[in-house]
Amino acid sequence: MVSPVRWLSILTINSLILFSVSFPLLMLPSIVNKGEVAAQTNPDAEAEKVFDEVMKLYKQGTAESRKQAIAKWEEALLLFRKIGNLRREAVTLVWIGYVYDSLGEKQTALNYLNQALPIYQQVGDRRGEAITLNNIGYIYDSLGEQQTALNYLNQALPIRRQVGDLRGEASTLNNIGLVYNSLGEKQTALNYLNQALPIYQQVDDLRGEATTLTSIGSVYDSLGEKQKAFNYLNQALPIYQQVGDHRGKATTLISIGSVYNSLGDKQTALNYLNQALPIYQQVGDRRGEASTLNNIGSVYNSLGEKQTALNYLNQALPIYQQVGDRRGEASTLNNIGLVYNSLGEKQTAFNYLNQALPIYQQVGDQDGEARTLNNLGLAYNSLGEKQTALNYLNQALPIRRQVGDRDGEAGTLFNIAWLKRDQGKLTESLTFIEKSLEIIEDLRTKIASVELRASYFATVQDRYEFYIDLLMELHKQNPNQGHDAKAFYASERSRARAFLELLNEASVNIRQGIDPKLAMAETELQQQLNAIETQRIKLLSGEYTCEQKANIEQTRDQLIDEYNQLRIKIRTTSPNYAALTEPQPLTLKEVQQQVLDDNTLLLQYSLGEESSYLWAVTKDSIHSYQLPPQAKIKNAAIELMVRITSSRERNDIAKVDSAADELTEILIKPVTDKLNKKRLLIVADRFLQEIPFSVLSIPNTDQESDGYQPLIVNHEIVNLPSVTTIANIRNSTKSRKLAPKKVAIIADPVFSPDDARFTGKTTTISTAESRSRAFPLEAQQLDRAARDVGIRWDRLPGTRTEAEAIMALIPESERTQAFDFQANREIATSQELAQYQIVHFATHGFANGKQPELSGVVMSLVDKNGNWQNGFLRLNDIFNLNLPAELVVLSACQTALGKDIKGEGLVGLTKIFMYAGAKRVVGSLWVVDDSRTADLMSQFYQGMLDQRLSPVEALRAAQLQMLETEISPYYWGAFTLQGEYDSR
């Protein structure tokens, strides 16, 4: 149990950032359908002329032009009153009201609409009467007066049906749906919105259709149905663009940003919000501007940039107050309060939160009320007032359940669990956290995008960490109740789930049985992407303007977005995908029965802020250990990696041994009596995935008498993203036939037109320098990314030596090889590679965490004529390969690394090659020495091909052989094996 002071500080952080419940992104109700205007009659010619002029001003769409339009409409209004044309007077009043509303002046808008309503009733214009009732209802909704809004809208709806105004009926249905959404009655809202949508489609009203699509998407977002939200919003956006509705486009951009924010993809959320802000400012929509500023502030707060957050929020608040948007005002007050709470300014926080709560209650916004109650509970907890905190949380929970906010419900359950644990009520705490995780598991499965599913899962990792911590605390109190086994299962549930689902998906053809139009669209988009990439490379290889570069990259990015959305649609409509059962993490008993044998020990690590844990699992036992906080472990890990990889220290074995001993003391020594020279399956966590456990010391060895004795001396070592992964690989490959041929080698590509293989002579100019001359931008991008990880794109002569040594071990009929210009992207993506058991890449390659889109393997960058070609085998290319290999070897730099996603682990080349079909992958953890790598690989293949060792046995044997002459682990320790260890 951690100290009370430290515990409170953790709660403060988590309550604001990680619950995903404190900073909702407001979705603006659409304006277009609200501002309807009755059809024109035949006014006096002079008034008609003025009316025509004002419409031209209005259609310019800027704030200034709309203000000018109001002045002209006032002129027309006087003329219509002068000639006694009541109907035209009412039409003009409605237009003026609409424009004032769009400028955020709600009360002024109501004034004009309330003048129009009795005129329409007087002249018996039922259609105009319904329009005015509809628009008055909309404004009352935006002012937070929902019941008044419903009163007007429910008067409008039967009139619209009576006069046969289908478009108007759809508009009012949409608006009633939005009011019910504001009231937290989500299913009722969807009922009305789903009535409106087909009517808009029937009358071919694209703007109205887009409005309702956006509204439905926003409701699904609030229900936690993120994929459904995306589906509707991504239909709305291109329609708004097609009809030129800038305000509607901005509304949808905010809604999409909201979904990305709730899924943890903050940068993408900011991208969408920053597109919306200038649009609202341009058209003079103050309410929309305030909403965007509020949302941007909330995202910056979640990113930890508190002062930037306050800057945006303090711009939003006075605008909301000026335009009379009470709901928006309350949201911003709530968000400002949360920032001050995180800054430790508790009284200021309470001041803002206590202003927000009564406003939410007054306007009937139950979503907002529950959020603020939740946040007040957290604020009181940070002051140590536990019972008061629980009182607020217990008020929030039933409201969240009532309005269907499942994500919010999960957050409040988590908060209650934390407080219960803090009170020492561990069993009660367990009940609440398990209910929270049950909701999270359900919500996660409803996200079709693998990337966004992983992003969402990263936002809730602390709940699994809390659950594990709680179970291990219960295990201390009751060692025989199986809480340690439940904690192990929780650890397995918390890691690499998206990857596990990808492996499951790879076992079937998800394109079989889909709509042929989808298959055709996918082919066309792939062709368009290839074409645009070729155009881009051609453009950037010559003279170009910044505008040309921006345009072609914008087109490419749009195509990529379309392609990603299409892949999601294929996945969600595929009969084979639908038939897949959700892969479940293995329980302790299943791991022992399906994965482990008598000679294998599983070491699974879980890192935490206060405590970390290790489970040592054999075929018939489990032992658990509490380890230090992750910060202490990280310091030791960094120290070891610096000692190994630093050019100044890598050969100082005494320092390497000392650093290895320090990390071994933490990670391995607790299980010394369990090792017994067994094979070690390592399921690491976070930064430990970047540590080769083979270089750690054998516990209890003495430096002076024994010297440096790395763990590899006694153990085969296999790395896994999760232990369930290996069971999935075995299940999916158990009936797979062995490929007919042995080894395919791709090595020694050409990276420069100044390469001696092209010019016939040796050059003294570096590859990087010459390529920068020939291909300015593309080369600079590659070189910049390469410099980030210490790589230059020079020729690797050792890869030729390495490949030729491997070839000498295999009959010519059993192998294929591609060198020089033939080592290109076309060969790397060909179906021919599926005919080989082992696929070996010997070239430059790396996983770049800063620029993941540049991660991959580098093939020949020039053709035999010296022309630039696309030689980069990117992650998406590998993703689409069919590579049912027994082994893929990535004999290149840092190929075992990747982008670290919390809960998912390192997402990079090794996982993507396993998805493509490889049973196991060998990759490297740092920049490797070219000639020593050639020696290691030669010995590795001799072990597999001559001595018939399994890949894991052969890798260990090669590393031990090098250890005899090169004791520094820098030269032999970089390469690790992930995946199946059993070669049977």
Side-chain angles (χ1 to χ4, degrees):
M1 188 70 173
V2 298
S3 66
V5 175
R6 180 61 180 144
W7 189 249
L8 291 179
S9 65
I10 296 171
L11 264 178
T12 301
I13 294 169
N14 283 347
S15 67
L16 302 183
I17 297 176
L18 299 175
F19 290 169
S20 299
V21 297
S22 300
F23 275 87
L25 292 178
L26 296 180
M27 270 62 73
L28 298 174
S30 55
I31 305 293
V32 174
N33 61 317
K34 321 289 177 112
E36 301 170 65
V37 179
Q40 297 182 21
T41 58
N42 294 312
D44 177 87
E46 182 181 357
E48 181 69 30
K49 181 181 178 181
V50 174
F51 202 93
D52 288 343
E53 290 174 359
V54 80
M55 289 306 297
K56 290 177 183 177
L57 283 170
Y58 170 77
K59 288 178 180 178
Q60 291 179 22
T62 66
E64 186 58 34
S65 69
R66 292 190 174 192
K67 290 175 183 176
Q68 293 172 9
I70 288 174
K72 281 286 186 181
W73 262 315
E74 292 283 6
E75 183 181 335
L77 183 61
L78 290 174
L79 290 170
F80 287 132
R81 283 174 173 168
K82 183 177 179 180
I83 63 175
N85 191 331
L86 292 176
R87 183 173 281 104
R88 288 296 283 166
E89 178 184 350
V91 168
T92 308
L93 287 165
V94 170
W95 267 111
I96 296 173
Y98 171 64
V99 176
Y100 272 118
D101 172 70
S102 71
L103 294 173
E105 300 187 34
K106 306 293 182 182
Q107 292 299 333
T108 306
L110 276 177
N111 178 44
Y112 281 91
L113 291 171
N114 282 322
Q115 292 179 60
L117 183 58
I119 298 175
Y120 276 129
Q121 292 169 333
Q122 179 183 343
V123 300
D125 187 338
R126 299 286 281 166
R127 186 184 297 265
E129 179 185 356
I131 288 170
T132 311
L133 288 165
N134 177 83
N135 294 353
I136 292 173
Y138 157 68
I139 293 176
Y140 275 115
D141 180 41
S142 67
L143 290 172
E145 299 186 35
Q146 272 72 45
Q147 292 304 325
T148 305
L150 281 177
N151 178 42
Y152 280 96
L153 293 169
N154 283 324
Q155 290 179 65
L157 184 59
I159 298 174
R160 301 196 119 159
R161 287 172 171 165
Q162 180 184 344
V163 300
D165 181 1
L166 287 175
R167 183 178 284 106
E169 178 184 352
S171 170
T172 304
L173 286 167
N174 181 82
N175 297 345
I176 293 173
L178 290 174
V179 177
Y180 277 112
N181 184 50
S182 299
L183 292 170
E185 300 185 34
K186 309 297 183 181
Q187 293 305 321
T188 304
L190 286 175
N191 178 43
Y192 279 97
L193 294 169
N194 284 320
Q195 291 179 65
L197 183 59
I199 298 176
Y200 274 132
Q201 292 168 333
Q202 177 185 342
V203 299
D204 201 26
D205 185 336
L206 290 176
R207 183 178 281 105
E209 179 182 353
T211 294
T212 306
L213 287 168
T214 299
S215 301
I216 294 173
S218 299
V219 176
Y220 276 120
D221 180 29
S222 67
L223 287 170
E225 300 264 6
K226 306 301 180 180
Q227 193 57 57
K228 286 185 178 180
F230 272 128
N231 293 344
Y232 283 97
L233 295 170
N234 285 322
Q235 291 178 67
L237 188 58
I239 298 176
Y240 277 132
Q241 291 169 330
Q242 177 185 342
V243 300
D245 185 338
H246 299 298
R247 182 180 288 102
K249 175 182 177 181
T251 300
T252 308
L253 288 169
I254 287 183
S255 298
I256 294 174
S258 166
V259 184
Y260 276 112
N261 180 62
S262 65
L263 291 174
D265 192 343
K266 308 298 181 181
Q267 291 304 323
T268 303
L270 283 176
N271 178 43
Y272 278 95
L273 293 169
N274 284 323
Q275 291 179 62
L277 183 59
I279 297 175
Y280 279 129
Q281 291 170 332
Q282 180 185 355
V283 301
D285 187 334
R286 298 286 283 163
R287 181 169 180 253
E289 179 184 355
S291 178
T292 313
L293 290 166
N294 182 43
N295 295 337
I296 292 174
S298 75
V299 177
Y300 274 115
N301 180 70
S302 67
L303 290 170
E305 300 185 32
K306 307 298 180 181
Q307 292 305 322
T308 304
L310 283 175
N311 178 43
Y312 280 98
L313 294 169
N314 283 323
Q315 292 178 65
L317 184 59
I319 299 175
Y320 273 135
Q321 291 168 333
Q322 178 187 342
V323 301
D325 186 340
R326 299 285 282 162
R327 187 185 296 111
E329 179 185 356
S331 172
T332 310
L333 289 166
N334 174 79
N335 293 350
I336 293 174
L338 287 173
V339 178
Y340 278 115
N341 191 49
S342 67
L343 291 171
E345 300 185 32
K346 305 300 181 183
Q347 289 308 317
T348 306
F350 278 117
N351 178 42
Y352 281 97
L353 292 170
N354 283 321
Q355 289 181 68
L357 183 59
I359 297 175
Y360 275 134
Q361 291 169 331
Q362 179 186 342
V363 301
D365 186 338
Q366 291 186 296
D367 276 327
E369 180 184 358
R371 274 193 299 273
T372 309
L373 287 167
N374 180 81
N375 297 335
L376 280 166
L378 297 173
Y380 275 110
N381 179 72
S382 67
L383 290 176
E385 299 186 31
K386 306 299 180 183
Q387 194 54 52
T388 304
L390 272 175
N391 290 342
Y392 278 101
L393 293 172
N394 284 325
Q395 290 178 67
L397 185 59
I399 298 175
R400 291 193 136 158
R401 285 172 171 163
Q402 181 182 339
V403 301
D405 181 3
R406 302 201 71 215
D407 196 29
E409 179 186 351
T412 302
L413 286 166
F414 179 29
N415 298 344
I416 294 172
W418 209 322
L419 280 166
K420 291 289 186 182
R421 178 186 174 179
D422 202 35
Q423 293 177 327
K425 300 175 181 179
L426 303 190
T427 303
E428 289 184 43
S429 175
L430 188 66
T431 300
F432 282 99
I433 188 59
E434 288 182 340
K435 288 179 180 178
S436 177
L437 291 177
E438 183 180 338
I439 295 172
I440 288 169
E441 290 284 344
D442 181 58
L443 292 177
R444 194 186 67 82
T445 62
K446 293 179 178 179
I447 306 168
S449 165
V450 175
E451 295 81 6
L452 289 175
R453 189 179 285 195
S455 178
Y456 168 72
F457 206 47
T459 69
V460 295
Q461 279 300 297
D462 272 28
R463 303 185 193 185
Y464 286 91
E465 183 181 321
F466 172 87
Y467 185 41
I468 290 167
D469 210 29
L470 179 62
L471 286 166
M472 293 305 293
E473 198 167 335
L474 284 165
H475 175 65
K476 284 183 184 178
Q477 294 182 0
N478 299 285
N480 299 319
Q481 297 299 312
H483 292 301
D484 56 343
K486 285 186 69 176
F488 170 80
Y489 180 56
S491 169
E492 191 65 15
R493 287 172 66 192
S494 72
R495 65 181 77 226
R497 297 286 294 280
F499 177 57
L500 184 63
E501 286 150 1
L502 275 177
L503 288 178
N504 194 45
E505 177 187 316
S507 65
V508 300
N509 180 4
I510 66 168
R511 287 162 179 79
Q512 184 178 13
I514 64 171
D515 186 339
K517 291 180 181 178
L518 290 177
M520 186 180 300
E522 183 182 32
T523 301
E524 289 175 355
L525 274 173
Q526 287 171 336
Q527 292 171 347
Q528 290 177 48
L529 280 167
N530 290 335
I532 202 70
E533 183 68 11
T534 302
Q535 293 173 31
R536 189 176 73 91
I537 292 171
K538 184 177 180 180
L539 172 70
L540 301 182
S541 297
E543 298 293 330
Y544 61 91
T545 66
C546 291
E547 184 179 1
Q548 287 174 318
K549 172 182 174 292
N551 288 339
I552 200 165
E553 291 186 345
Q554 182 181 10
T555 302
R556 179 198 60 185
D557 292 345
Q558 288 173 348
L559 287 172
I560 290 172
D561 286 342
E562 287 181 39
Y563 184 62
N564 289 337
Q565 291 301 320
L566 182 63
R567 285 174 58 180
I568 292 171
K569 193 169 185 179
I570 288 172
R571 181 180 287 114
T572 55
T573 59
S574 165
N576 287 348
Y577 183 82
L580 285 173
T581 56
E582 190 75 20
Q584 294 300 312
L586 298 183
T587 63
L588 172 65
K589 185 176 181 180
E590 289 168 336
V591 168
Q592 292 172 325
Q593 292 176 343
Q594 299 177 30
V595 175
L596 301 177
D597 55 33
D598 293 331
N599 194 42
T600 302
L601 173 67
L602 168 65
L603 299 180
Q604 182 147 313
Y605 295 85
S606 176
L607 301 180
E609 293 288 339
E610 295 299 317
S611 296
S612 302
Y613 298 97
L614 163 62
W615 295 272
V617 183
T618 68
K619 194 172 182 180
D620 53 14
S621 69
I622 179 174
H623 294 85
S624 56
Y625 308 85
Q626 184 172 349
L627 304 182
Q630 65 174 351
K632 180 178 180 179
I633 300 174
K634 188 172 187 177
N635 288 337
I638 292 173
E639 179 71 14
L640 175 61
M641 291 303 288
V642 168
R643 299 298 185 199
I644 292 175
T645 59
S646 168
S647 59
R648 291 179 298 179
E649 300 189 31
R650 64 179 60 145
N651 293 311
D652 189 335
I653 300 304
K655 289 185 176 179
V656 171
D657 190 15
S658 176
D661 284 346
E662 182 181 355
L663 193 56
T664 299
E665 184 78 13
I666 298 171
L667 299 180
I668 302 298
K669 189 172 181 180
V671 295
T672 300
D673 61 334
K674 307 291 186 302
L675 295 176
N676 299 323
K677 295 189 176 183
K678 290 184 176 184
R679 178 189 302 112
L680 303 181
L681 298 188
I682 306 294
V683 179
D685 191 16
R686 302 180 197 177
F687 53 84
L688 290 181
Q689 297 167 98
E690 301 178 16
I691 302 294
F693 275 63
S694 59
V695 309
L696 299 182
S697 304
I698 297 174
N700 298 328
T701 53
D702 181 75
Q703 179 177 336
E704 293 185 6
S705 60
D706 301 323
Y708 174 46
Q709 293 289 306
L711 209 56
I712 194 72
V713 171
N714 285 345
H715 304 277
E716 297 172 16
I717 297 176
V718 180
N719 298 276
L720 296 169
S722 71
V723 70
T724 306
T725 301
I726 198 167
N728 186 286
I729 291 172
R730 287 176 178 176
N731 185 59
S732 62
T733 60
K734 61 185 177 183
S735 59
R736 191 170 79 185
K737 293 182 179 179
L738 200 64
K741 298 181 181 180
K742 200 69 181 178
V743 181
I745 304 169
I746 303 175
D748 197 17
V750 182
F751 303 124
S752 166
D754 290 330
D755 190 288
R757 288 167 286 183
F758 179 71
T759 64
K761 58 184 179 181
T762 304
T763 177
T764 58
I765 302 175
S766 77
T767 300
E769 182 182 350
S770 63
R771 188 174 59 259
S772 293
R773 292 180 186 176
F775 319 118
L777 188 69
E778 188 74 12
Q780 288 170 24
Q781 288 179 332
L782 293 174
D783 290 337
R784 183 172 61 252
R787 285 196 298 273
D788 286 340
V789 288
I791 300 174
R792 298 182 66 188
W793 300 109
D794 294 320
R795 185 180 180 182
L796 298 171
T799 63
R800 189 75 166 228
T801 305
E802 172 184 322
E804 288 173 346
I806 297 169
M807 289 167 56
L809 301 171
I810 310 162
E812 187 173 350
S813 61
E814 292 290 301
R815 59 174 164 82
T816 188
Q817 56 279 333
F819 297 128
D820 308 323
F821 301 105
Q822 293 300 313
N824 55 38
R825 188 172 177 275
E826 182 180 353
I827 290 293
T829 57
S830 70
Q831 287 294 320
E832 182 187 353
L833 293 186
Q835 300 299 308
Y836 294 87
Q837 298 166 26
I838 302 173
V839 179
H840 184 96
F841 293 92
T843 177
H844 286 300
F846 64 96
N848 188 301
K850 293 182 180 178
Q851 292 179 281
E853 72 278 6
L854 294 181
S855 299
V857 180
V858 188
M859 301 288 101
S860 286
L861 298 175
V862 292
D863 63 21
K864 62 183 180 181
N865 297 316
N867 298 317
W868 166 257
Q869 64 182 7
N870 182 7
F872 215 74
L873 189 66
R874 301 179 189 273
L875 291 188
N876 280 340
D877 299 319
I878 301 166
F879 191 85
N880 290 319
L881 292 179
N882 174 32
L883 202 62
E886 296 298 296
L887 171 68
V888 168
V889 179
L890 303 175
S891 181
C893 295
Q894 297 183 315
T895 49
L897 296 181
K899 183 177 181 180
D900 186 15
I901 298 177
K902 195 174 182 181
E904 195 57 38
L906 295 177
V907 178
L909 295 172
T910 52
K911 284 185 177 178
I912 299 301
F913 272 108
M914 290 167 76
Y915 172 81
K919 272 189 180 181
R920 53 187 73 81
V921 179
V922 170
S924 64
L925 289 167
W926 55 77
V927 178
V928 291
D929 180 84
D930 185 31
S931 61
R932 307 297 172 82
T933 298
D935 293 340
L936 178 71
M937 287 298 159
S938 175
Q939 294 162 13
F940 174 48
Y941 276 88
Q942 285 181 30
M944 287 193 296
L945 301 174
D946 285 352
Q947 302 171 39
R948 304 297 180 185
L949 299 177
S950 71
V952 65
E953 292 170 333
L955 181 61
R956 175 177 175 241
Q959 290 175 322
L960 287 174
Q961 191 169 343
M962 289 197 71
L963 179 61
E964 294 177 3
T965 55
E966 298 286 358
I967 194 167
S968 172
Y970 166 75
Y971 299 103
W972 55 263
F975 285 95
T976 65
L977 185 143
Q978 286 198 34
E980 176 63 273
Y981 64 84
D982 192 342
S983 60
R984 289 174 295 178

